[in-house]
């Protein structure tokens, strides 16, 4: 059982927007602005898409955006493209120098 | 090219030890904190542990599931991070990834990842 709760699946059609949630507690998501999101294609290494709740690393399209409200963080992918189909994981810094993960959301582009 | 390459995975019996290596290139390894992660087949990602750069004491943090059994170290002269795994259990079977931390003091966000190395613990 993962420390952060993510829905197991999500889907959308090309061009649409989809939002993933990531729910934690005041000891992780709610207590720190250190939420990150990773994209992972099958058999590949994870790729950092968002850090510190809403910052994009260089090279990540601005179709990807992050936000947080209370103990829940969200990742929104706008203008869905076929290559966005992947697993998405949220992480958060947690008390006592821990890093916690969500169980991941599998995005299907219809 | 900025790159991380893991090595040292393989098949090992329960209770035995294994050491993984993460060799960095294309950046000043000593300036960065590093972490290890793992992913069991068909499962999600799990953080294993973290080592700060020497500038921040080179100290380590570990997930509760491996604390006391796993040890992370680094050799900045060789640009290598190590994961020493002792008293291995079948549930440690996974692909192990190393990754570079964007910051330095605590595990936060990881911008460069290796391709992973498979560790199988089985009798």
């Amino acid at each position: 059982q993962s420390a952060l709760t993510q829905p197991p699946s999500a889907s959308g059609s090309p061009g649409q927007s989809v939002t993933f949630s990531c729910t934690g507690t005041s000891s992780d998501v709610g207590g720190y602005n250190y939420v990150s999101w990773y994209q992972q294609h099958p058999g590949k290494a994870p790729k950092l898409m968002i850090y510190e709740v809403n910052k994009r690393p260089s090279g990540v399209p601005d179709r990807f955006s992050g936000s947080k409200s209370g103990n829940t963080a969200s990742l929104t992918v706008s203008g869905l493209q076929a290559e966005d189909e992947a697993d998405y994981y949220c992480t958060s810094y947690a008390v006592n120098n821990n890093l916690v993960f969500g169980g991941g959301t599998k995005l299907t582009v219809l | 090219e900025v790159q991380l390459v893991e090595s040292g995975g393989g098949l090992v019996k329960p209770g035995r030890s294994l050491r993984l290596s993460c060799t960095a290139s294309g950046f000043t390894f000593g300036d960065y904190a590093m972490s290890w992660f793992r992913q069991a087949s068909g499962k999600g990602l799990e953080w294993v542990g973290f080592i700060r750069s020497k500038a921040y004491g080179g100290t380590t943090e570990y997930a509760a599931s491996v604390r006391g059994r796993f040890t992370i170290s680094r050799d900045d002269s060789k640009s290598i991070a190590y994961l020493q795994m002792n008293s291995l259990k079948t549930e440690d079977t996974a692909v192990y990834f190393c990754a570079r931390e964007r910051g330095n003091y605590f595990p936060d966000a990881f911008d460069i990842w290796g391709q992973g190395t498979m560790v199988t613990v089985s009798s």
Side-chain angles (χ1 to χ4, degrees), chain B residues 38-79:
Chain B
R38 65 185 180 183
Q39 186 171 35
S41 180
K43 303 296 185 182
L45 291 160
E46 179 185 12
W47 173 68
V48 171
F50 172 84
I51 185 165
R52 297 177 176 85
S53 67
K54 288 291 196 302
Y56 288 89
T59 51
T60 52
E61 308 290 348
Y62 298 96
S65 58
V66 306
R67 194 175 295 130
R69 298 190 300 125
F70 289 12
T71 301
I72 297 174
S73 60
R74 62 190 300 154
D75 185 338
D76 291 349
S77 69
K78 296 181 179 178
S79 297

Side-chain angles (χ1 to χ4, degrees), chain A residues 36 38 40 45 48 51 89 97, chain B residues 39 47 61 102 106 109-110 114:
Chain A
S36 299
Y38 295 87
Q40 187 181 34
L48 180 65
Y51 66 99
Y89 294 91
N97 289 304
Chain B
Q39 186 171 35
W47 173 68
E61 308 290 348
R102 288 193 69 260
F106 55 85
F110 299 86

Side-chain angles (χ1 to χ4, degrees), chain B residues 29-46:
Chain B
F29 178 77
D31 288 349
Y32 290 87
M34 301 293 294
S35 257
W36 285 91
F37 299 83
R38 65 185 180 183
Q39 186 171 35
S41 180
K43 303 296 185 182
L45 291 160
E46 179 185 12

Side-chain angles (χ1 to χ4, degrees), chain B residues 1 4 6 18 29 32 34 36-37 40 42 45 53 67 69 81 88 91 94 100 106 111 113 119 123:
Chain B
E1 180 189 7
L4 297 172
E6 301 93 339
L18 196 65
F29 178 77
Y32 290 87
M34 301 293 294
W36 285 91
F37 299 83
L45 291 160
S53 67
R67 194 175 295 130
R69 298 190 300 125
L88 281 162
E91 53 262 42
R100 185 184 81 172
F106 55 85
D111 59 355
W113 291 68
V119 172
S123 54

Side-chain angles (χ1 to χ4, degrees), chain A residues 89-101:
Chain A
Y89 294 91
C90 63
T91 72
S92 174
Y93 174 78
V95 292
N96 297 322
N97 289 304
N98 282 307
L99 184 74
V100 291
F101 270 91

